């Protein structure tokens, strides 16, 4: 045991410059990210309404959540439908558009990057979709359809559970060329150009082979990053749903796990229960990430 | 074979597929652009044009009325409006700069060295990305008040230094730097700090410019959260939100506010983007 600590001390002394580089970030990260996460996981085992002291209740929040909360199950269902559609679509779109744009000449490339990236960077501009899908005849879609004679009465797009989820998916896709898209663009710029020449010599025949055997494997770090970001974002959808369909939405048509969490966390102030919801969501994200990372390791083989 | 090398990548292209892909790009591009064009046009529409049937995409009689109304309201606010602008610019600049510096410094050892605890630390950073910020708001509030940082700039700025996103992004990019390059620097007698600052950072310029764009956009849109409550310290985003809600809830002014708020991130993006493309042409990232 003493040997181990001596070795440990020696390693730390040898790498002290590395620890010094890490320290400022890690101290703040522990204080403002890790500590709050740990506290809220602990809260998830308590009854905590912000007025009284937290009271330990064990697994009660979780059992109530999973067996006795029908609204939560609606939220889970919507979230799953949502993430299974938008997650993969937007991940692939992020890469595909980044890749296509990368082949353009520099001026056109800068312009197209701006067009695709602008929606996600321009803050809360997605409220515009509320006007586009507005329920009266001033809404762009309703106005257009009525003018064309397809419909005679305006459709209540954002109040009808039939359309709600689809519209939110559309808007989310519109917004989704954000962080990962930008990381892919930057990643494509760092792929070694000589690899393509070497590939041509080795018999790479078309752009699809080039993509699979050269581009994708060279970008594995960015692909991993993008996957984590996309999974996290598509399972945590809430802001767009709340802004467009209202909160709570009609018949919980646009209810998701995070809107359920917002309901208990910031409206009913049942922090213990809200923390349990967050922990369940966390486990779901973790599971999906492990699966996707396994799949990504096979890229280019 | 020689010919193929000289012609470079273009040899693997067929024009039919090129055309098809370009069409797809143009199609999706317009889907992305139309709502934004609509917002911008709305900001210049006079009131009667905002509510006509059938609704129009483009403005007919452009007017600056909406912006004039907006400035009129700004003049009457009881905190000078320049104060909101200063608050937002200060928070954005300090938070972004600090984050890029600290996150890159921490990413370098994690990406390029193996040492005790490196794997665990990185795993924790990635895991923390997956925890919903809606619940950590309360513990964060408790920590802030324990530190006595409530209602100060640093309550927003300092946590931004340590967002997990930046470290993760920087680490992924730094992994691609060839080890030979770093060893060469080491043999030349450079310290770890010098290697980080003079070798690694210039090489990952696209990464930290990306991070600059993301962070600056995130902080520009902050409303100060639950940490800032005195009017003097409020941000532009908050003030703009008040203007839209405060009685003059008009679609036109709202659109004008949206256009003003989105201009700054987009301009920053255009400036940094041209920089990324320029520097990447000759970076020597790969060996």
């Amino acid at each position: 045991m003493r040997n181990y600590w001596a070795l440990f001390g020696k390693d730390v002394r040898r790498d002290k410059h590395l620890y010094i580089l890490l320290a400022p970030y890690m101290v703040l990260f522990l204080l403002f990210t890790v500590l709050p996460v740990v506290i809220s996981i602990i809260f998830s085992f308590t009854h905590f309404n912000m007025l009284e002291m937290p009271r330990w209740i064990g697994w009660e929040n979780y059992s109530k959540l999973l067996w006795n909360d029908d609204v939560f199950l609606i939220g889970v269902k919507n979230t799953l439908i949502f993430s299974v559609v938008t997650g993969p679509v937007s991940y692939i779109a992020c890469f595909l558009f980044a890749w296509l744009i990368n082949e353009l000449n520099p001026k056109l490339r800068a312009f197209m990057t701006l067009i695709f990236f602008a929606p996600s960077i321009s803050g809360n501009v997605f409220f515009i979709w509320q006007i586009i899908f507005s329920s009266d005849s001033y809404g762009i879609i309703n106005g257009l359809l009525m003018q064309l004679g397809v419909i005679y009465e305006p459709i209540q797009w954002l109040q009808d559970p039939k359309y709600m989820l689809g519209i939110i998916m559309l808007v989310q896709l519109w917004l989704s060329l954000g962080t990962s898209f930008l990381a892919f663009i930057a990643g494509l710029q760092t792929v070694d150009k000589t690899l393509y020449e070497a590939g041509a010599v080795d018999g790479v025949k078309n752009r699809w082979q080039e993509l699979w055997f050269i581009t994708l494997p060279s970008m594995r770090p960015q692909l991993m990053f993008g996957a984590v970001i996309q999974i996290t974002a598509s399972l945590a959808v809430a802001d767009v749903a709340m802004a467009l369909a209202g909160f709570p939405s009609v018949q919980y048509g646009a209810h998701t796990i995070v809107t359920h969490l917002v309901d208990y966390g910031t409206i009913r102030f049942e922090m213990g229960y809200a923390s349990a919801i967050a922990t369940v969501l966390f486990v779901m994200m973790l599971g999906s990430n492990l699966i996707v990372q396994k799949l990504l390791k096979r890229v280019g083989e | 074979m020689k010919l193929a090398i000289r012609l470079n990548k273009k040899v693997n292209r067929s024009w039919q597929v090129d055309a098809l892909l370009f069409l797809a790009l143009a199609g999706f591009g317009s889907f992305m652009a139309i709502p934004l064009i609509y917002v911008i046009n709305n900001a210049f529409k006079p009131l009667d044009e905002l509510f006509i049937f059938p609704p129009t995409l483009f403005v007919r009689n452009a007017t600056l009325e909406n912006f004039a109304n907006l400035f009129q309201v700004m003049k009457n606010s009881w905190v000078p409006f320049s104060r909101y602008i200063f608050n937002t610019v200060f928070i954005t600049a300090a938070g972004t700069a600090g984050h890029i510096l600290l996150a890159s410094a921490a990413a370098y050892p994690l990406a390029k060295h193996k040492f005790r605890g490196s794997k665990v630390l990185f795993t924790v950073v990635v895991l923390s990305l997956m925890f919903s910020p809606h619940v950590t708001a309360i513990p964060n509030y408790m920590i802030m008040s324990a530190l006595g940082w409530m209602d100060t700039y640093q309550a927003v700025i300092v946590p931004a230094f340590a967002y997990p996103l930046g470290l993760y992004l920087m680490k992924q990019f730094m992994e691609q730097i060839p080890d030979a390059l770093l060893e060469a620097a080491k043999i030349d007698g450079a310290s770890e700090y010098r290697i980080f600052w003079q070798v690694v950072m210039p090489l990952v310029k696209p990464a930290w410019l990306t991070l600059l764009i993301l962070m600056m956009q995130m902080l520009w849109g902050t409303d100060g959260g639950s940490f800032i409550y005195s009017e003097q310290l409020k941000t532009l985003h908050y003030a703009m939100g008040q203007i839209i809600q405060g009685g003059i809830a008009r679609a036109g002014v709202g659109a004008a506010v949206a256009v003003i708020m989105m201009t700054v991130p987009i301009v920053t993006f255009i400036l940094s983007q041209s920089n990324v493309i320029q520097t990447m042409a000759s970076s020597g990232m790969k060996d």
Side-chain angles (χ1 to χ4, degrees):
Chain A
M1 207 55 198
R2 257 188 77 196
N3 234 340
Y4 175 83
W5 284 111
L7 211 65
F8 184 83
K10 213 176 122 204
D11 279 359
V12 170
R13 264 195 306 283
R14 186 197 60 206
D15 296 329
K16 72 169 187 277
H17 299 299
L18 304 178
Y19 290 107
I20 292 172
L21 279 171
L22 262 171
Y25 179 91
M26 281 302 162
V27 169
L28 297 176
F29 175 70
L30 287 176
L31 187 61
F32 295 113
T33 305
V34 176
L35 190 58
V37 169
V38 171
I39 294 177
S40 59
I41 290 178
I42 295 171
F43 277 168
S44 75
F45 294 101
T46 64
H47 177 84
F48 181 36
N49 57 8
M50 318 247 303
L51 298 171
E52 306 154 72
M53 283 300 285
R55 178 163 49 84
W56 190 264
I57 54 170
W59 292 96
E60 207 176 289
N61 283 327
Y62 290 95
S63 65
K64 185 179 153 204
L65 188 63
L66 296 175
W67 315 121
N68 290 326
D69 191 341
D70 292 340
V71 179
F72 177 68
L73 294 182
I74 296 176
V76 170
K77 193 194 79 191
N78 285 339
T79 306
L80 287 180
I81 295 176
F82 198 88
S83 53
V84 165
V85 178
T86 60
V89 171
S90 74
Y91 183 67
I92 292 168
C94 278
F95 182 79
L96 223 52
F97 288 132
W99 180 60
L100 289 177
I101 286 172
N102 195 47
E103 305 225 327
L104 303 171
N105 67 48
K107 281 222 173 80
L108 200 56
R109 174 162 65 198
F111 176 71
M112 289 310 279
T113 314
L114 176 67
I115 297 277
F116 279 96
F117 187 57
S120 67
I121 206 180
S122 43
N124 294 330
V125 168
F126 61 79
F127 79 88
I128 204 69
W129 288 92
Q130 206 170 6
I131 302 172
I132 294 175
F133 282 105
S134 171
S135 301
D136 49 34
S137 49
Y138 299 116
I140 287 254
I141 301 277
N142 274 335
L144 200 70
L145 290 178
M146 283 164 79
Q147 210 190 0
L148 291 173
V150 180
I151 54 171
Y152 299 100
E153 285 289 309
I155 295 177
Q156 306 237 313
W157 295 108
L158 293 166
Q159 280 74 42
D160 191 334
K162 219 170 26 180
Y163 303 113
M164 243 186 258
L165 213 55
I167 293 172
I168 294 166
M169 282 180 194
L170 187 77
V171 177
Q172 196 75 35
L173 284 175
W174 182 68
L175 280 169
S176 68
L177 294 175
T179 313
S180 342
F181 176 64
L182 216 52
F184 290 164
I185 294 239
L188 282 164
Q189 306 273 348
T190 56
V191 175
D192 188 1
K193 304 286 179 287
T194 56
L195 281 179
Y196 294 110
E197 287 161 24
V201 175
D202 288 345
V204 166
K205 278 194 213 65
N206 53 44
R207 76 179 85 207
W208 311 108
Q209 286 188 350
E210 205 174 84
L211 176 68
W212 183 253
F213 291 113
I214 302 173
T215 312
L216 285 173
S218 306
M219 284 182 59
R220 207 173 272 138
Q222 282 82 22
L223 291 175
M224 293 279 192
F225 172 81
V228 172
I229 300 294
Q230 290 292 342
I231 290 170
T232 311
S234 64
L235 282 171
V237 60
D239 289 345
V240 174
M242 290 196 290
L244 293 183
F247 179 62
S249 47
V250 179
Q251 291 173 25
Y252 295 110
H255 204 63
T256 65
I257 298 178
V258 175
T259 61
H260 200 59
L261 193 161
V262 170
D263 185 9
Y264 280 91
T266 56
I267 296 174
R268 304 183 203 206
F269 290 115
E270 291 187 28
M271 282 318 293
Y273 198 61
S275 301
I277 298 172
T279 310
V280 170
L281 182 64
F282 174 67
V283 171
M284 287 172 66
M285 286 183 184
L286 208 60
S288 348
N289 267 306
L290 290 177
I291 296 170
V292 170
Q293 307 255 327
K294 279 234 165 70
L295 290 176
L296 279 181
K297 286 218 172 81
R298 294 218 196 122
V299 159
E301 277 172 6
Chain B
M1 270 315 170
K2 266 250 145 58
L3 188 72
I5 297 167
R6 218 175 311 134
L7 288 177
N8 202 352
K9 4 194 315 196
K10 293 295 171 212
V11 81
N12 294 330
R13 300 290 177 273
S14 68
W15 72 267
Q16 291 96 334
V17 182
D18 265 341
L20 209 70
L21 292 177
F22 188 78
L23 270 180
L25 210 54
F28 283 105
S30 24
F31 166 69
M32 301 304 275
I34 284 173
L36 291 175
I37 293 170
Y38 182 55
V39 183
I40 295 167
N41 275 286
N42 262 8
F44 293 99
K45 282 180 189 169
L47 195 57
D48 55 338
E49 216 178 296
L50 280 168
F51 296 103
I52 48 171
F53 182 85
T56 53
L57 184 60
F58 293 105
V59 55
R60 279 178 207 151
N61 307 305
T63 165
L64 287 173
E65 201 183 318
N66 294 322
F67 290 92
N69 284 343
L70 179 64
F71 287 116
Q72 197 58 43
V73 190
M74 284 184 192
K75 249 192 246 160
N76 297 337
S77 73
W78 67 95
V79 171
F81 213 79
S82 52
R83 185 68 204 239
Y84 293 123
I85 297 175
F86 169 79
N87 291 341
T88 299
V89 170
F90 179 67
I91 289 175
T92 307
T96 307
H99 178 74
I100 291 177
L101 199 67
L102 295 195
S104 317
Y108 164 61
L110 291 178
K112 280 292 153 199
H113 291 278
K114 276 204 173 106
F115 56 95
R116 283 177 188 275
S118 58
K119 270 223 172 92
V120 178
L121 287 176
F122 182 65
T123 310
V124 171
V125 171
V126 177
L127 289 184
S128 72
L129 269 174
M130 293 172 221
F131 212 85
S132 173
H134 293 278
V135 230
T136 48
I138 303 288
N140 257 324
Y141 188 90
M142 294 166 21
I143 292 167
M144 281 301 165
S145 56
L147 287 171
W149 281 10
M150 290 311 295
D151 210 22
T152 58
Y153 287 126
Q154 66 257 36
V156 182
I157 296 173
V158 177
F161 288 175
Y163 282 158
L165 182 79
L167 182 126
Y168 187 18
L169 183 74
M170 294 305 290
K171 191 220 165 213
Q172 296 295 74
F173 270 87
M174 286 177 182
E175 269 181 353
Q176 294 175 323
I177 300 174
D179 288 326
L181 222 59
L182 304 180
E183 273 154 31
K186 205 161 210 172
I187 290 166
D188 289 347
S191 66
E192 291 291 350
Y193 309 103
R194 212 157 143 186
I195 294 177
F196 161 67
W197 192 247
Q198 292 190 336
V199 180
V200 174
M201 281 305 263
L203 280 177
V204 292
K205 200 171 179 188
W208 56 259
L209 281 172
T210 304
L211 198 54
L212 174 97
I213 295 165
L214 293 173
M215 279 305 283
M216 116 110 230
Q217 172 241 342
M218 204 186 310
L219 287 168
W220 176 257
T222 186
D223 55 1
S226 48
F227 304 133
I228 287 183
Y229 43 83
S230 58
E231 202 61 37
Q232 271 85 14
L233 299 181
K234 289 281 189 195
T235 62
L236 194 60
H237 179 88
Y238 168 86
M240 292 292 194
Q242 289 301 100
I243 288 172
I244 300 177
Q245 285 162 13
I248 45 148
R250 294 228 303 249
V253 177
V257 167
V259 168
I260 289 178
M261 287 304 286
M262 70 191 233
T263 306
V264 171
I266 286 181
V267 169
T268 323
F269 171 68
I270 293 173
L271 295 178
S272 3
Q273 175 68 17
S274 60
N275 216 330
V276 172
I277 290 170
Q278 263 177 19
T279 55
M280 279 328 292
S282 56
S283 81
M285 186 75 166
K286 288 281 158 72
D287 46 0

